Amino acid sequence: MCFLWEGDGEGLLKTKKTALREEQQYNEGGYDFRLNETPLTNVTGVYSNDLYAARVEEVIREHVRGSEGAPLFLMLSLQATHGPLEAPPSICGKRNSVPKHIENPSRKIFHDMVAAMDCVVGRMVKQLRRSHLYHNTIIVFTADNGGNFRVGGNNFPLRGSKGSLYEGGTRGVSLLHSPLLPNVGHRYRGLMHVVDWRETLLHAAMGPAHWPLHSSPDLQERGRKEAEEMVEEEREGDDDSLDLWSALLHNGPSPRTSFVYNLRKGPLRGAIRRRHWKLVVGLGGRYDGWVPPEDVGTVTGEECSSWNTPTTRHLLAHAHASDINDMVMLFNMRDDPLETTDLSGLYPEVVATLRAKLREYSRHSKHPHSPKDDPRGHPSLHGGFFSPGWCEPLV
């Protein structure tokens, strides 16, 4: 491999010694942990949950001291649960205790990571109570994607893993909690996309005086009719977020009827949902099996046959890329939520409609910018920290 210098024309070809030194620098890595813009170097060996929990408690206390009744929005994004599989030796001051029915080594560690995460949530709620804010607080607990069964996650009986377009990789679990809620104890099954939290929480933040007493009549009517025709029902405009606060409060029909799971173009690939129909264009994901908890990834790194379907294993081994890109799968999510049966051959008109809609979205989409590693950004050149300021920002 040839390595080119930037700058003048002298010494265009890097020496092997220089290339090996840069490779070693990348392997060594650096720090990537800050409090706002201040690098932190005294947290090595501390489980990050404890750092975040302490910071949350501090933010709540500071807010009470200086807010004079102002509202507070606090977003806590923990590094757990996520790979690598690492759990603290004790959780909430107690020794770890995994239920006996969990035998998979990765699942045992994952269980402790979840317990450690619960501890952080508990510390936050206790601080809200001590600060006399809990009575007027709405707490949303949500995932950003499905579990990665290669490193301890479990989506069974849903199909697929994190990184796939199947429900196991894309469907997230959420919990809405507040002493202000008029109706509790129900499970909401309407469609909702993560972008909807913005409009939904903005409505919620207006306070109970502005919350509807009943579900929206027009949504109730639409829910009773259950129209099957392919029509665009969502609000037109540039705003992707929809307000589901009324629907969540009263367990009513969702105003959302469609969304895009993912979209790539050149060639067109991705997935789209319209009512109960879901279309997948291209390979929905390398790991597309129905994986029971005992088959999730272990610390040895061994794969199980359940991780992939036989069709996907054959395609990856023998099919040409163009054949994979031309694949389409159609699922009826109302009758087949586990995505076991491809109906594309029975409903070609539905496939054509959804594929055209996905293609229409692709004309307005932008390719993600994923630059290659640049030696100029290595931490060794910036005090040992991954840092901004050395490259030109994209506009």
Side-chain angles (χ1 to χ4, degrees), residues 35-46:
L35 177 59
N36 296 324
E37 297 183 2
T38 304
L40 299 180
T41 58
N42 60 343
V43 295
T44 301
V46 181

Side-chain angles (χ1 to χ4, degrees), residues 232-265:
E232 184 63 55
E233 293 185 331
E234 279 118 8
R235 183 178 61 207
E236 296 293 334
D238 297 330
D239 196 344
D240 293 325
S241 185
L242 298 178
D243 179 7
L244 271 76
W245 187 240
S246 174
L248 294 177
L249 280 184
H250 303 290
N251 205 12
S254 170
R256 177 165 293 285
T257 60
S258 70
F259 55 78
V260 173
Y261 288 83
N262 195 22
L263 177 61
R264 295 293 179 95
K265 51 186 178 181

Side-chain angles (χ1 to χ4, degrees), residues 130-310:
R130 285 194 295 263
S131 301
H132 305 291
L133 296 178
Y134 171 78
H135 70 284
N136 198 35
T137 295
I138 297 173
I139 298 173
V140 175
F141 182 92
T142 185
D144 58 349
N145 46 250
N148 184 349
F149 55 57
R150 287 169 289 165
V151 285
N154 172 34
N155 306 315
F156 194 75
L158 296 179
R159 181 179 184 178
S161 178
K162 174 184 177 180
S164 78
L165 296 175
Y166 299 102
E167 297 300 290
T170 58
R171 184 182 295 189
V173 178
S174 298
L175 171 71
L176 185 63
H177 172 80
S178 175
L180 301 172
L181 297 178
N183 301 306
V184 297
H186 62 261
R187 181 177 180 180
Y188 190 69
R189 299 180 183 273
L191 281 184
M192 185 176 186
H193 193 278
V194 65
V195 299
D196 297 329
W197 279 119
R198 193 197 69 185
E199 284 298 304
T200 300
L201 292 179
L202 283 175
H203 186 174
M206 297 172 66
H210 298 273
W211 296 352
L213 298 178
H214 306 284
S215 183
S216 175
D218 60 325
L219 290 181
Q220 291 177 351
E221 178 65 20
R222 192 173 74 197
R224 283 192 294 267
K225 290 182 178 179
E226 280 294 324
E228 298 295 334
E229 64 271 15
M230 290 291 193
V231 294
E232 184 63 55
E233 293 185 331
E234 279 118 8
R235 183 178 61 207
E236 296 293 334
D238 297 330
D239 196 344
D240 293 325
S241 185
L242 298 178
D243 179 7
L244 271 76
W245 187 240
S246 174
L248 294 177
L249 280 184
H250 303 290
N251 205 12
S254 170
R256 177 165 293 285
T257 60
S258 70
F259 55 78
V260 173
Y261 288 83
N262 195 22
L263 177 61
R264 295 293 179 95
K265 51 186 178 181
L268 181 69
R269 292 157 292 156
I272 186 172
R273 174 79 177 261
R274 297 267 294 187
R275 290 191 173 275
H276 60 280
W277 291 114
K278 176 180 179 179
L279 181 74
V280 179
V281 179
L283 190 66
R286 176 185 180 91
Y287 299 103
D288 64 339
W290 296 266
V291 181
E294 59 269 21
D295 282 358
V296 304
T298 65
V299 291
T300 61
E302 298 175 356
E303 294 192 9
C304 293
S305 59
S306 63
W307 289 16
N308 323 92
T309 60

